[in-house]
Amino acid sequence: MGIRSLIISFIFIISLLSAGYALGTFAPWLTASLIFYAAFAVFFAGFIYRVIKWALIPVPFRIPVTCSQQKSLDWINASPIENPSGKTGVFLRMASEIILFRSLFRNSHTRMYEDRPVYGKDTALWLFGLLFHASMLIIVIRHLRFFIEPVPAVINKLSAWDGMFELGVPTIYLSDIIFTVSAIYLFMRRAAVSRLRYISLVQDYIPLLLIISVAGTGILMRHIYKVDLLKVKELATGWISFSMALPEGIGLLFFVHLFCVCALLLWFPLSKLMHMGGVFLSPTRNLANSNRAIRHINPWNAPVKAHTYEEYEDEFREKMKSAGLPVEKE
Amino acid sequence: MSFAKIPKPDELIRVKYDMPGKSWMNTPVDFRPGTWSHAGAAKNLTALDLPNPRAWQPSDEDWKLPENWQAIILAGMKERLEKYRSFRLFMDICVRCGACADKCHFYIGTGDPKNMPVLRAELIRSVYRRYFTTPGRIFGKLAGARDLTLDVLKEWFYYFYQCTECRRCAVFCPYGIDQAEITMIGRELLNLVGCNINWVVEPAANCFRTGNHLGIQPGGMKDMLEFLTDDIEERTGVRVEVPLNKKGAEILFITPSADYFADPGTYTCMGYLMLFHELGLDYTMSTYASEGGNFGLFNSHEMIKRLNAKMYAEARRLGVKWIIGGECGHMWRVVNQYMDTMNGPADFLEVPVSPVTGTRFENARSTKMVHICEFTADVIRNGKIRLDPSRNDHLRITFHDSCNPARAMGLFDEPRYIINNTCNYFFEMREDAIREKTFCCGAGAGLGNDENMEMRMRGGMPRAMAVKEVHEKYGVNRLACICAVDRATLPPLMEYWVPDVSVMGVHELLGNALVMKGENERPTDLRGYPIKETGTP
């Protein structure tokens, strides 16, 4: 949809950041309590609602897309993961999709070269997509340290590993850098590649810009305009016990950060970000190619009008007889 | 085959992938001749009890739709959103990453952005947003939603009949979003208001009444099979019998009618018949279930079931133990992924056991239907037939994986095993054009009609170019495949792009190589070409 969508997305993000800034300045308690609780409630309820809604829709047919050799004769090497014939295979296939983005790894780029289409390997989207999601997961887990006291050793270990280069004070987290760079890559790709820009909608730019805002404010308040993390933790543990006390002097940037996170959480269940839940339910991937061995049941298998042999013979009986073909009724 | 009305290959190949300046949402369809298929004829719609039979063409201004056509389509959409998890999920979770965009043969061949699977899906997704999601209802165009207008409907028609449901995009999609599913539902919706193409509904109507797409009546089928047995006798000196409608046979054999009706499928059919004869197989063919293919797949799920019902019904009536299916693409999509669910359980049949080798086909223990390539590969492996691959020395083979056996089944190595045992010169095409990444012939899913010729040549271009490469590199002169639609659509595609390559079925190779008991010396292959001279296709 071109440049227009981009402009609208930027206007949206700038308004949102301004709103976050204004709220942080004049009514930080609003972001820290009402908006925060509302966002989390909408996120969890919305996410679960959407997933249950999908899960309740039947899967009438077993329609896996098979990406390698089927299991047939004993001496032919079947591929248990790319063309699973049982539950283990399906599990491994789903794991490879969800953890390693297997299918995206196949990506290629089609170009015309000397009047011939050629297909170059193109792993950039796979790489940055994977880095983006993995670093996001690490960051989310690291953030749990604000909510849990004492901080579990696993989280401390993860944080130590994440900051192993010990650059700067406080140390720069590797995941922060990777997350921001890959989010910017994903945004730039969408905005700069004409084909991607053509298929992109406003709702494709906004979550990326939101995420970049979250990451940006996060990094800024960790390294430049530092906020008081002890007070943040006090606030965060307060959320869990529903104490509405707002510690004084956390720092404005924190409220902008929090506001952007809330906006993302609110956005999530209403949008394509639900691919997080949906990827588990995709019938072309999470079913075994075993239809000829085990019957799949369609709960609404509706009756249809077929053309019976009797009707057929009634129409063609004389012709069948003259052709010397056997008939049921003389 | 006439290419007079379409651009020459050197013009057609100049595909541009630049994006237009104007948003896709406001670009109405141009029904340019050569890029679409004629509308379904009223008589065929009537024969199948399909709605709104009438005389019309897609290029007409007025499509003579029912007055409440929008309500009909939206109700149909609602129903399908509740019946198919795939449809709802695929409407919801696409992130428009664009991985599918340049994987579609129609996009590669046309450069038309609406042929990117992601946009082809957006054509319907935009309407889904408008009527079935809250953001779409509130924000409209801003949220990528749009009204279901006549222009949108025409766009659906043009692009859902410009998708061969080949599933190549789904191989690359990180969420397995399968454009074939979306196209199938899209076509169902179009069908609700009587918008379909004749090349789909006519074969379906014929198949419903006479048992096969071509409308061949019982005597006609018998005659055709007899022609083939005459030809076999002429080439080999061996008289082969073809049992028809024989009760109590062990196996029912069902193959696409094109195999016994039209070249080059007939040579493949001769291969089957020779093999069965040589093995002394107790089998029968049927005039009632005389079609393997199922054009219902290109019409609606309901029509799949209606046409497919004959297979089990006839197996039951004839009292056979199990079924063998011939070389066909979409037939095997239906048999492998739909048949047992729709028309099973086939508890009146037995788990298939090859009477020749004793092999029990565990992978088909529920459907009781075995692919001829599985059957034959097993026979060869067990040394039950004698083969002379040198009889195919005049052929330099490459193999086209048909979309459906590839991506809806994973039948890759069985046909290759047969090929490797029946010829000496086999060359694979490039890795990104075979197996699960195979390119469509450009004319599957009911698009193989002559009025659609330009689009077929465009859609088939990536396949043809991969063939051209092995033709130039290894002197390949024959393209083997295991699909009857391929055998009908690849010959013109080759004639247009790679004129020195002709097309055959895998069992034609087998027929050539099969050493039969009591055969004469065979100076020619099944087509009558001398086998000693290399280089004559």
Side-chain angles (χ1 to χ4, degrees):
Chain A
M1 298 279 283
I3 305 289
R4 214 177 110 245
S5 303
L6 258 173
I7 296 172
I8 295 169
S9 310
F10 272 112
I11 293 173
F12 179 88
I13 284 294
I14 291 167
S15 327
L16 203 84
L17 285 169
S18 314
Y21 186 86
L23 274 173
T25 312
F26 301 111
W29 54 271
L30 199 63
T31 309
S33 58
L34 207 62
I35 294 174
F36 173 82
Y37 283 120
F40 263 82
V42 168
F43 171 74
F44 282 113
F47 191 95
I48 292 166
Y49 172 77
R50 295 286 309 270
V51 170
I52 289 179
K53 197 163 173 187
W54 287 326
L56 290 178
I57 304 171
V59 179
F61 304 108
R62 196 188 271 142
I63 49 164
V65 172
T66 56
C67 294
S68 194
Q69 174 60 36
Q70 66 165 353
K71 184 175 183 320
S72 60
L73 299 159
D74 293 339
W75 48 272
I76 288 178
N77 282 334
S79 169
I81 299 179
E82 306 271 51
N83 189 346
S85 58
K87 285 200 171 76
T88 320
V90 168
F91 178 83
L92 292 173
R93 184 183 204 188
M94 291 305 288
S96 76
E97 289 293 347
I98 288 159
I99 301 169
L100 301 173
F101 298 4
R102 169 69 184 100
S103 291
L104 202 53
F105 185 67
R106 293 193 185 95
N107 200 14
S108 59
H109 191 109
T110 308
R111 284 189 183 85
M112 286 307 260
Y113 178 74
E114 290 183 348
D115 281 352
R116 208 61 78 83
V118 290
Y119 317 98
K121 191 91 191 113
D122 184 1
T123 45
L125 178 62
W126 169 79
L127 179 69
F128 283 101
L130 193 58
L131 288 175
F132 173 76
H133 286 85
S135 54
M136 175 153 42
L137 180 66
I138 291 171
I139 291 169
V140 168
I141 294 172
R142 265 205 288 103
H143 273 69
L144 292 177
R145 75 184 189 279
F146 291 110
F147 296 87
I148 309 169
E149 188 56 47
V151 180
V154 192
I155 295 179
N156 279 330
K157 234 183 207 146
L158 181 72
S159 305
W161 174 80
D162 197 1
M164 63 184 168
F165 291 111
E166 299 196 355
L167 285 169
V169 182
T171 174
I172 293 173
Y173 285 129
L174 211 56
S175 57
D176 284 355
I177 306 296
I178 293 173
F179 184 57
T180 314
V181 168
S182 49
I184 291 172
Y185 169 83
L186 293 177
F187 177 80
M188 290 308 289
R189 175 178 174 272
R190 209 174 261 296
V193 179
S194 64
R195 182 189 291 158
L196 265 292
R197 199 167 58 239
Y198 195 72
I199 61 172
S200 292
L201 304 168
V202 175
Q203 61 258 46
D204 296 320
Y205 295 115
I206 286 179
L208 280 169
L209 288 173
L210 252 178
I211 282 167
I212 293 169
S213 307
V214 169
T217 49
I219 290 171
L220 278 178
M221 71 187 186
R222 181 172 166 86
H223 297 286
I224 298 169
Y225 306 106
K226 290 174 187 163
V227 300
D228 190 335
L229 290 181
L230 282 176
K231 286 184 179 152
V232 171
K233 176 137 190 175
E234 199 184 315
L235 176 69
T237 42
W239 280 330
I240 291 169
S241 56
F242 292 94
S243 88
M244 296 296 172
L246 179 62
E248 283 293 316
I250 290 182
L252 174 63
L253 207 52
F254 167 76
F255 292 99
V256 182
H257 181 71
L258 183 62
F259 187 76
C260 290
V261 172
C262 291
L264 191 63
L265 289 175
L266 284 168
W267 186 274
F268 204 105
L270 285 166
S271 70
K272 68 168 191 178
L273 300 184
M274 283 305 295
H275 68 267
M276 178 183 165
V279 66
F280 292 88
L281 294 174
S282 188
T284 56
R285 292 269 195 268
N286 70 7
L287 294 165
N289 178 29
S290 60
N291 234 28
R292 278 194 291 153
I294 303 157
R295 185 166 180 246
H296 179 83
I297 304 293
N298 174 1
W300 52 261
N301 193 8
V304 296
K305 188 185 166 293
H307 193 65
T308 63
Y309 176 80
E310 287 69 31
E311 291 168 298
Y312 171 86
E313 191 184 294
D314 284 347
E315 181 177 354
F316 294 112
R317 185 167 296 114
E318 291 315 311
K319 288 177 176 166
M320 290 173 83
K321 275 155 78 175
S322 64
L325 291 166
V327 288
E328 296 276 337
K329 274 194 248 166
E330 283 304 322
Chain B
M1 199 59 58
S2 164
F3 300 118
K5 286 182 187 155
I6 70 173
K8 300 269 168 292
D10 55 340
E11 292 168 57
L12 214 66
I13 193 73
R14 275 182 238 129
V15 186
K16 292 269 182 297
Y17 299 121
D18 306 329
M19 291 295 125
K22 209 169 155 194
S23 158
W24 59 267
M25 276 201 185
N26 320 310
T27 325
V29 170
D30 170 24
F31 281 91
R32 194 161 51 84
T35 67
W36 49 273
S37 309
H38 290 155
K43 67 171 169 56
N44 296 321
L45 271 68
T46 307
L48 293 167
D49 310 310
L50 293 176
N52 201 15
R54 69 209 181 282
W56 72 290
Q57 281 307 335
S59 50
D60 296 347
E61 197 67 36
D62 178 9
W63 280 20
K64 300 179 191 162
L65 299 171
E67 203 138 295
N68 57 338
W69 67 269
Q70 276 136 321
I72 294 173
I73 288 198
L74 291 174
M77 230 170 138
K78 182 168 186 294
E79 184 192 338
R80 282 158 186 80
L81 286 165
E82 288 159 5
K83 276 166 112 176
Y84 295 89
R85 185 187 298 167
S86 53
F87 183 42
R88 177 116 213 178
L89 198 73
F90 296 165
M91 288 295 102
D92 283 334
I93 65 172
C94 174
V95 300
R96 287 166 294 283
C97 73
C100 60
D102 55 357
K103 308 305 179 285
C104 174
H105 51 282
F106 280 117
Y107 177 67
I108 298 172
T110 61
D112 181 342
K114 284 178 195 168
N115 274 324
M116 295 190 263
V118 50
L119 268 198
R120 194 183 279 111
E122 287 291 314
L123 300 180
I124 198 163
R125 205 177 271 131
S126 52
V127 172
Y128 164 73
R129 282 194 199 100
R130 167 69 184 78
Y131 298 95
F132 299 95
T133 73
T134 314
R137 276 194 207 104
I138 298 172
F139 296 107
K141 271 212 164 153
L142 195 60
R146 55 179 186 167
D147 292 337
L148 178 57
T149 62
L150 189 59
D151 275 348
V152 169
L153 190 83
K154 290 185 173 182
E155 205 176 33
W156 284 9
F157 184 90
Y158 191 68
Y159 290 101
F160 292 146
Y161 288 103
Q162 212 168 96
C163 164
T164 44
E165 302 177 1
C166 83
R167 308 179 108 199
R168 191 170 192 267
C169 50
V171 168
F172 294 87
C173 175
Y175 316 118
I177 297 176
D178 181 6
Q179 180 60 45
E181 280 294 293
I182 300 173
T183 295
M184 284 164 76
I185 299 287
R187 288 186 180 189
E188 279 194 14
L189 297 175
L190 287 164
N191 262 286
L192 294 177
V193 291
C195 297
N196 38 37
I197 63 173
N198 203 48
W199 223 72
V200 169
V201 288
E202 181 147 322
N206 284 340
C207 190
F208 190 71
R209 177 173 155 249
T210 65
N212 57 73
H213 293 160
L214 303 156
I216 305 162
Q217 299 189 1
M221 181 174 177
K222 190 171 183 236
D223 289 347
M224 282 169 191
L225 289 167
E226 265 163 23
F227 286 140
L228 297 187
T229 54
D230 291 347
D231 279 356
I232 293 171
E233 190 171 15
E234 198 183 313
R235 302 269 178 257
T236 66
V238 179
R239 186 70 202 173
V240 167
E241 294 300 324
V242 187
L244 263 180
N245 297 359
K246 181 180 139 192
K247 279 195 170 180
E250 184 179 357
I251 295 164
L252 171 63
F253 176 62
I254 302 176
T255 201
S257 54
D259 278 355
Y260 53 84
F261 179 76
D263 292 352
T266 45
Y267 305 114
T268 309
C269 195
M270 287 158 73
Y272 307 143
L273 303 179
M274 290 161 69
L275 174 71
F276 295 159
H277 170 86
E278 191 58 22
L279 294 172
L281 208 65
D282 177 19
Y283 79 106
T284 181
M285 290 177 78
S286 159
T287 58
Y288 167 63
S290 49
E291 178 61 63
N294 188 328
F295 271 44
L297 185 66
F298 315 136
N299 186 282
S300 70
H301 287 87
E302 191 194 22
M303 195 65 73
I304 302 176
K305 188 173 172 184
R306 290 174 74 184
L307 299 184
N308 173 261
K310 281 179 193 164
M311 288 194 183
Y312 279 153
E314 186 67 339
R316 189 195 284 267
R317 185 184 74 88
L318 295 175
V320 301
K321 288 183 180 163
W322 55 286
I323 311 171
I324 294 181
E327 293 181 11
C328 180
H330 71 277
M331 158 186 180
W332 275 95
R333 162 95 141 124
V334 171
V335 170
N336 195 48
Q337 298 197 323
Y338 295 108
M339 176 161 85
D340 200 8
T341 300
M342 286 177 164
N343 289 312
D347 44 15
F348 50 91
L349 297 174
E350 292 175 15
V351 175
V353 176
S354 171
V356 187
T357 65
T359 300
R360 197 177 142 97
F361 291 94
E362 280 297 337
N363 65 323
R365 64 181 181 272
S366 182
T367 35
K368 280 88 172 179
M369 186 150 176
V370 173
H371 194 287
I372 183 92
C373 286
E374 295 167 341
F375 175 79
T376 306
D378 174 64
V379 166
I380 297 175
R381 174 81 175 183
N382 284 284
K384 298 294 181 188
I385 45 175
R386 267 182 59 208
L387 294 166
D388 178 3
S390 73
R391 287 185 191 167
N392 283 313
D393 276 357
H394 59 309
L395 303 176
R396 297 172 78 82
I397 309 285
T398 192
F399 180 62
H400 161 70
D401 284 286
S402 311
C403 311
N404 286 301
R407 287 182 284 257
M409 202 174 174
L411 187 89
F412 297 114
D413 290 334
E414 295 87 346
R416 282 177 172 78
Y417 185 79
I418 300 173
I419 292 170
N420 280 316
N421 278 282
T422 50
C423 75
N424 291 318
Y425 302 104
F426 172 48
F427 307 91
E428 288 277 15
M429 282 180 267
R430 55 191 306 149
E431 181 266 337
D432 34 29
I434 56 166
R435 298 182 75 95
E436 75 277 7
K437 292 182 194 143
T438 188
F439 279 110
C440 178
C441 61
L447 309 184
N449 52 72
D450 286 357
E451 68 267 18
N452 190 35
M453 194 52 86
E454 180 182 333
M455 197 48 68
R456 288 171 57 184
M457 295 304 111
R458 286 183 179 280
M461 183 269 279
R463 163 47 70 232
M465 287 299 145
V467 174
K468 193 172 178 181
E469 200 176 328
V470 283
H471 168 67
E472 288 167 356
K473 228 168 159 175
Y474 308 115
V476 162
N477 58 12
R478 194 56 75 76
L479 177 58
C481 62
I482 49 167
C483 171
V485 167
D486 280 333
R487 285 191 284 272
T489 62
L490 288 174
L493 186 75
M494 289 300 115
E495 193 186 326
Y496 183 80
W497 290 110
V498 205
D500 298 330
V501 175
S502 52
V503 178
M504 77 190 315
V506 166
H507 276 77
E508 183 186 341
L509 267 180
L510 181 105
N512 284 343
L514 184 69
V515 180
M516 300 175 81
K517 286 183 273 297
E519 69 176 14
N520 299 336
E521 203 199 331
R522 282 162 66 176
T524 67
D525 65 9
L526 294 177
R527 298 187 184 193
Y529 294 136
I531 55 179
K532 292 297 170 205
E533 279 172 52
T534 51
T536 33

